[in-house]
Amino acid sequence: MMGTGMAGKRMEFQKPDVSSGRKRRFQPRMSLLAWLMAGGLLTSLCFSRNAQADYAIYQIPGTDAGLLLEGETNYNPGGTVTFRHPRGSLYFNARDLQVIKTPTRQTIFRRKSGKILSEKTVDNYIKLAQWALQHGMLKECKSLLSDAWKLDPTDEKIKKLAALMVHINRPVPNNSGSEAHVRNLIGGSRMEMSRSKHFALFHDAQSEKDAVTKMTRAEMRLELLEKVYESYFLTFALRGFYLRPPSEPLNAVLFSEHKDFLLMERRLEMGLKQIAGFYLPEENVSFFYDSGTTEIFLLLKQLTDKLDEMKEQAKRTRSPNAAHIIRFANTVSLLIDIEHESEDVATVSHEAVHQLAANTGLFPRDGVFIRWVHEGLASYFESSKLAVWSGVGVVDQNRISYYRALEGDPVRGSVEFIVSDLGFIVETALGDQLPAYGQAWALTHYLFTERFDELIQFYGKSRKISADTDPREKGTELVELFNECFGDRVTLELEWRRYMRTLKTDMEQLAEEL
C-alpha cells in the first residue's frame, strides 16, 4: 500500500510482520496507591555500596499502608532517618520506618569469589563470571574473564571468549544506506541520529540531561543497549554457544512523546494495543518511547504537582502535619521517577533482545515466527530494578504471578499448550496476552537454566519450519520437535514445576527472613 511520510515525502511500505511488542504492565485508570503497591513498590532493588543493604518499610502516617524499599539508611540525631539510593534521598521519622539488614550484591559477590576462587582455575573463573553476569555485574564479569585469560591464555574456552570480546569491543562502521532506509520509514530527516559501538539511535533533539546520570535520555538508552548487547553474547558464550555478531549498526527509534509513537504505529497499520515497544523484522528496526509521556504518567505528574503544592503550603502555614506531608510527597515523586525509568529500561532491553536474536542467526528475520520462543527469550533478558539493568533471568513479580495463576490449569498451563504456540492465540482472544508472556517466560527460564543444550537444539530445528505454515500444522510440528529434543514431556513438566517452585522474587526471599 502507499503511505505518506511525516515530512510529506511519499514512500512505499507494506503492513509489517511484528516480531515483538512488549506489553505495558500498567493500566491508565489505576489509582495512584494501587499503582504504587502493584508496580513501583513490588520491585525490590539492590544498589548499596556498604556491606549491608537495607530493606526499609515505611508506614504511611495516618494509613495502614506500608511502602517497601531497598537501599541505604543512616540514622540522624533527632530521630530522623536518611534513605539513599541512586535517584535521590528521602527523609523519614525513625518511628515510621522498619529497617532490615541484608547483604549487598557486592558483599555476596566477594563471598562467592573467596569460595569459588579458592582454587584458581579457568573453569572456576568462568563459573564466577557467569554468576556475576546473571546478577547484572557486567564489569566484574569481564574482569574475571580477563583474569582467566592471564591465568592460562592457551585454554580453549578462554581463547574463544577472548576472541568474542575482541568482536564485542570493535565498533561497526556507519551504513549510509541503512540510515536512509530508517529515515524514509520514520518520515523525514528531522530526527537526530546518535551512535554507539553497535547501535544507531534515531531520536528527537534533546538537551535536557538526567539529574542523576548527567546524560540525555538518548545517551542513557545507547548505554543500556550496549550493556544488553554485551550481556546477550556473553550469556550464550559462557554456556559454550557462540553467536555471530552483526557487521553493521542495529537501528532503533526513540520517540520523546508517546503520541508520536502511536502515530507511527497507526501509520504502519499494526493495530497494536497497550504496547510499550516493538521490533519490525522486515525493516530490522526497534521502536520505543519515553514512558513518562503516557497518559498514566502524565496523570501521576499532575498528582505529584498537587502534592508539591500541598507540601509548600504546609511549610508556609507551619502545619502540624507538615513533616508527614513532605515525606509522603517526596516518596511518591521519587517512586514515580523510579518506575518511569524502570519501565523504559525493561522495554528497551526486551526489544533489543528481539533485534539481537534476529541479527545473530538465532532466529532469522525471514524465518518462522514462534511467539512463545521469541517472547520467552526476550522476557528472560528483560530486566530492571531501581531503574537500572539488573541482570539475566531475574525473577520478575509480574511474570511469575501470571505463571502461578495458570500453574494448575491442565490446558492453558500445560507445556504442550505453550509449545504449540496456542497460548498467545487463546490469551489474545480472551483479551489479555500477559498470561501468555508469563508462561513463555517461565518455560524459557527453566529450559535456559536446566536444559540449555536441548533448548539450542530445539531453536535450530524449529528454524526449518516454513514461515507460511498453517498455524495448526505449525503447532503440531513444534510439539513433535519439542518431544524429539527434550524427550519425555511428562517428566519434563514435573521437573519444570519443581524448578519454578524454587524461584522467588526478592520480596518473597525477604519475607522468609522476617
Side-chain angles (χ1 to χ4, degrees):
M1 61 173 292
M2 297 294 295
T4 303
M6 295 178 190
K9 182 177 179 180
R10 289 180 64 81
M11 58 175 284
E12 295 186 11
F13 61 90
Q14 294 180 338
K15 186 174 180 179
D17 175 22
V18 183
S19 171
S20 73
R22 180 178 176 272
K23 298 291 289 183
R24 286 170 53 195
R25 293 179 293 174
F26 307 108
Q27 299 299 323
R29 296 186 180 182
M30 293 177 71
S31 69
L32 173 62
L33 185 57
W35 174 78
L36 290 172
M37 297 303 293
L41 302 178
L42 291 181
T43 305
S44 63
L45 317 163
C46 187
F47 48 82
S48 174
R49 296 179 182 175
N50 295 336
Q52 297 288 319
D54 300 333
Y55 280 91
I57 302 174
Y58 171 54
Q59 189 70 34
I60 300 176
T63 74
D64 294 328
L67 311 183
L68 178 61
L69 300 168
E70 183 186 348
E72 178 185 341
T73 55
N74 290 319
Y75 287 86
N76 309 314
T80 62
V81 178
T82 302
F83 180 86
R84 294 189 179 90
H85 59 73
R87 298 207 64 84
S89 296
L90 295 173
Y91 303 92
F92 299 103
N93 190 313
R95 66 172 178 267
D96 296 327
L97 207 65
Q98 178 184 357
V99 177
I100 304 162
K101 300 286 185 180
T102 62
T104 66
R105 184 170 48 181
Q106 285 288 349
T107 300
I108 296 172
F109 174 69
R110 286 193 294 270
R111 291 175 184 172
K112 284 189 171 291
S113 297
K115 184 180 296 185
I116 295 174
L117 298 183
S118 59
E119 182 182 357
K120 289 182 169 57
T121 66
V122 168
D123 285 344
N124 282 345
Y125 272 106
I126 291 176
K127 180 180 179 181
L128 185 59
Q130 191 170 357
W131 184 93
L133 184 63
Q134 288 175 334
H135 291 80
M137 305 174 75
L138 179 59
K139 181 180 178 180
E140 289 81 354
C141 171
K142 293 192 291 185
S143 178
L144 287 164
L145 294 179
S146 177
D147 290 342
W149 183 83
K150 293 174 185 176
L151 179 68
D152 185 2
T154 65
D155 183 272
E156 288 301 318
K157 290 181 182 177
I158 206 64
K159 283 170 65 176
K160 288 183 178 180
L161 286 164
L164 174 65
M165 291 307 300
V166 170
H167 280 288
I168 288 178
N169 291 324
R170 182 185 300 149
V172 295
N174 285 327
N175 185 320
S176 58
S178 177
E179 178 182 350
H181 171 74
V182 175
R183 292 198 180 282
N184 189 43
L185 179 67
I186 61 180
S189 58
R190 297 184 66 86
M191 275 190 157
E192 297 180 357
M193 186 193 77
S194 297
R195 273 296 313 269
S196 62
K197 287 182 181 179
H198 306 101
F199 289 88
L201 182 65
F202 296 79
H203 58 90
D204 298 307
Q206 298 177 354
S207 58
E208 183 179 353
K209 295 190 175 183
D210 182 79
V212 177
T213 65
K214 309 303 180 185
M215 295 189 292
T216 64
R217 187 158 292 273
E219 291 169 340
M220 291 168 65
R221 293 299 156 257
L222 280 171
E223 181 182 67
L224 171 62
L225 286 167
E226 288 295 333
K227 191 170 291 187
V228 175
Y229 185 97
E230 293 187 49
S231 298
Y232 171 84
F233 281 101
L234 285 171
T235 296
F236 283 94
L238 288 171
R239 288 169 168 80
F241 187 72
Y242 290 83
L243 294 163
R244 180 187 69 250
S247 58
E248 59 182 51
L250 299 178
N251 295 312
V253 180
L254 169 64
F255 292 100
S256 294
E257 296 288 338
H258 182 221
K259 60 186 178 182
D260 292 339
F261 173 86
L262 293 177
L263 181 62
M264 186 71 203
E265 186 272 335
R266 288 197 298 272
R267 183 165 173 259
L268 295 173
E269 298 184 348
M270 295 166 62
L272 302 176
K273 296 181 180 180
Q274 296 295 314
I275 291 293
F278 58 88
Y279 166 61
L280 298 180
E282 184 177 335
E283 308 293 348
N284 201 18
V285 182
S286 291
F287 294 83
F288 29 82
Y289 59 90
D290 179 357
S291 66
T293 62
T294 59
E295 180 183 356
I296 184 171
F297 278 104
L298 292 176
L299 289 173
L300 291 170
K301 177 64 167 58
Q302 293 176 15
L303 288 171
T304 57
D305 290 344
K306 185 65 176 178
L307 287 172
D308 285 341
E309 292 177 9
M310 294 171 61
K311 181 174 68 175
E312 294 304 317
Q313 183 179 4
K315 289 180 182 179
R316 289 194 304 270
T317 61
R318 298 184 179 181
S319 167
N321 295 321
H324 295 324
I325 294 172
I326 292 170
R327 291 177 195 131
F328 180 70
N330 290 344
T331 299
V332 170
S333 178
L334 185 57
L335 288 172
I336 291 173
D337 175 61
I338 291 171
E339 191 56 42
H340 170 197
E341 186 63 18
S342 294
E343 181 72 4
D344 282 356
V345 168
T347 298
V348 173
S349 59
H350 184 104
E351 301 307 333
V353 170
H354 278 300
Q355 193 167 18
L356 283 165
N359 285 272
T360 56
L362 192 63
F363 308 139
R365 289 164 47 200
D366 58 353
V368 62
F369 180 51
I370 307 169
R371 192 75 184 275
W372 82 266
V373 166
H374 286 254
E375 298 300 348
L377 184 69
S379 297
Y380 181 73
F381 276 85
E382 173 189 313
S383 174
S384 68
K385 291 185 179 182
L386 190 65
V388 296
W389 168 256
S390 51
V392 180
V394 172
V395 182
D396 179 79
Q397 175 71 37
N398 292 283
R399 300 297 189 208
I400 200 167
S401 294
Y402 279 108
Y403 159 77
R404 289 169 178 168
L406 292 178
E407 181 180 5
D409 191 312
V411 178
R412 292 165 64 201
S414 70
V415 169
E416 181 177 0
F417 189 76
I418 300 167
V419 170
S420 67
D421 229 14
L422 279 173
F424 280 93
I425 297 173
V426 171
E427 302 303 343
T428 300
L430 293 174
D432 186 4
Q433 295 183 33
L434 288 176
Y437 276 87
Q439 294 292 87
W441 166 83
L443 185 56
T444 301
H445 203 293
Y446 163 69
L447 297 176
F448 206 97
T449 305
E450 301 292 323
R451 307 286 291 271
F452 180 78
D453 291 340
E454 294 103 312
L455 179 62
I456 293 300
Q457 183 185 19
F458 174 74
Y459 284 168
K461 291 189 174 184
S462 67
R463 291 196 293 266
K464 297 178 182 178
I465 299 176
S466 174
D468 57 1
T469 302
D470 177 81
R472 290 188 178 183
E473 292 181 16
K474 183 180 77 170
T476 301
E477 286 190 54
L478 286 171
V479 173
E480 290 175 353
L481 285 177
F482 192 87
N483 293 341
E484 180 182 334
C485 295
F486 291 97
D488 181 14
R489 197 171 67 246
V490 174
T491 300
L492 180 142
E493 186 151 352
L494 289 172
E495 292 174 351
W496 175 41
R497 301 301 181 194
R498 284 194 288 267
Y499 172 82
M500 290 303 298
R501 284 192 283 272
T502 69
L503 296 188
K504 293 179 174 62
T505 65
D506 291 342
M507 290 278 288
E508 290 168 336
Q509 293 179 40
L510 175 62
E512 291 180 353
E513 297 180 14
L514 294 176

